[in-house]
Amino acid sequence: MENERLEMRLLLEAIYQKSGYDFRGYASAHIKRRLEHVRNRAGLATFCEVTHRLIWDAEFFDSVLSALSINVTEMFRDPGFYRAVREQVLPVLKTYPFIKVWHAGCAAGQEVYSMAIVLAEEGMKDRAQIYATDINPPVLEIARRGIYPLDAVRHYTANYQKAGGASSFSEYYTADYDSVAVKTALKQNVLFSPHNLVTDGIFGEMHVIFCRNVLIYFGDDLQNKVIKLFLDSLCNGGFLCLGTKESLRFSEHADAFEVVDAREKIYRKRPALPTPEAEAE
């Protein structure tokens, strides 16, 4: 087992040295499961063989990156969360003439379009800029296209209704054979771009950041690093929305936030305290 852990560390180091993608701080149990899946699917005996192949085989490297990325989501996932956003976050955001929204780790874009629908129904879509980022370029392309399987729509529709949808969900997509396409109006003011939470910098002066069910895959040190990134990216009074199994309770930066909704994991950045130098002026 010790040799296997060493092989895994060398594999993750190779990925980082070759590409800049840094999975070294991810939770070890999650990484081990994903790498075992890669190894077994490729018919390789050891992680050393995986390392050798990904160094020399660009297509295989892309498949490993995809396997390590977190791409599982759905539209209006956790409907109670979207009700809480409508009731507790948007009334504050409505007081701003223009808002900036960041979906960090947006995967295939379902939650991005879910929020676009909420903003549209609240009359806020035209004065909002939405940034949607992910580490995985192929998955970002799926998000950018906004085309999803038709058989998922029934579930999405039920989620939308439970989330307090104010219209008919069918108004937001067009159906074509075995898929549905998000309507163009929802894509307006939405910018999809690559961003690595582990290595890339801040998005400044965001009014709300969504990063749901991503931090659970990170180790403690990496979680603290990413939460600090979010803290520095939020304006004073900005909101941070996490997943149902995530919390700021044990974070080094917990005191920088106040709890808005403990059940739905919605937090708000506290105003920065004045420095002694500022008070002296």
Side-chain angles (χ1 to χ4, degrees):
M1 290 302 298
E2 180 59 35
N3 287 342
E4 187 176 73
R5 283 193 290 268
L6 176 58
E7 286 187 6
M8 286 177 55
R9 287 198 294 268
L10 292 173
L11 195 165
L12 297 178
E13 183 67 28
I15 293 174
Y16 176 66
Q17 293 294 334
K18 183 173 176 62
S19 67
Y21 291 116
D22 193 352
F23 296 98
R24 297 173 298 178
Y26 278 48
S28 58
H30 165 69
I31 285 293
K32 186 173 187 294
R33 284 194 302 270
R34 301 312 299 158
L35 290 179
E36 285 177 340
H37 174 72
V38 167
R39 184 185 64 188
N40 294 336
R41 186 177 61 186
L44 302 174
T46 67
F47 291 128
C48 278
E49 292 180 40
V50 176
T51 302
H52 182 271
R53 182 169 173 185
L54 71 83
I55 288 174
W56 295 100
D57 185 336
E59 185 174 343
F60 182 67
F61 174 83
D62 289 341
S63 71
V64 174
L65 176 62
S66 180
L68 294 179
S69 302
I70 303 118
N71 302 316
V72 180
T73 187
E74 61 191 42
M75 294 195 77
F76 291 95
R77 182 179 188 177
D78 305 319
F81 166 78
Y82 287 93
R83 281 189 174 272
V85 169
R86 285 184 187 267
E87 296 169 3
Q88 301 180 66
V89 177
L90 295 192
V92 177
L93 298 185
K94 284 181 179 179
T95 65
Y96 294 95
F98 187 79
I99 61 170
K100 293 196 290 185
V101 180
W102 179 17
H103 285 268
C106 71
Q110 288 96 327
E111 293 194 20
V112 178
Y113 295 121
S114 299
M115 191 59 194
I117 289 172
V118 172
L119 290 172
E121 292 184 348
E122 296 294 326
M124 301 175 63
K125 181 68 166 59
D126 291 340
R127 54 191 177 95
Q129 175 64 56
I130 300 175
Y131 300 90
T133 66
D134 198 89
I135 191 177
N136 192 328
V139 170
L140 268 178
E141 184 55 33
I142 295 173
R144 190 176 288 110
R145 293 173 61 201
I147 299 175
Y148 304 109
L150 181 62
D151 58 12
V153 169
R154 180 177 297 179
H155 183 56
Y156 292 173
T157 300
N159 282 353
Y160 168 75
Q161 293 169 342
K162 293 176 184 177
S167 185
S168 170
F169 187 63
S170 61
E171 292 186 8
Y172 299 110
Y173 66 84
T174 56
D176 183 17
Y177 298 103
D178 60 348
S179 63
V180 297
V182 170
K183 286 192 173 179
T184 302
L186 288 181
K187 299 180 181 181
Q188 293 175 353
N189 298 345
V190 179
L191 176 64
F192 290 98
S193 63
H195 183 275
N196 188 331
L197 288 172
V198 180
T199 57
D200 292 342
I202 67 171
F203 274 54
E205 294 299 301
M206 292 293 139
H207 295 91
V208 57
I209 296 174
F210 296 90
C211 186
R212 308 189 65 239
N213 306 301
V214 175
L215 294 181
I216 54 174
Y217 299 106
F218 295 170
D220 291 344
D221 291 342
L222 184 51
Q223 284 190 22
N224 280 314
K225 178 180 179 180
V226 173
I227 291 168
K228 181 61 164 62
L229 172 70
F230 294 152
L231 178 63
D232 292 341
S233 297
L234 283 169
C235 62
N236 286 334
F239 295 88
L240 175 61
C241 301
L242 302 180
T244 54
K245 296 181 180 179
E246 299 165 332
S247 174
L248 294 182
R249 182 180 302 173
F250 303 109
S251 168
E252 294 176 358
H253 310 290
D255 291 343
F257 295 87
E258 61 179 312
V259 178
V260 174
D261 190 314
R263 176 183 177 85
E264 301 300 341
K265 307 303 171 61
I266 300 174
Y267 304 89
R268 192 175 186 188
K269 180 179 176 179
R270 299 180 189 275
L273 295 175
T275 64
E277 294 80 5
E279 289 182 333
E281 292 179 0

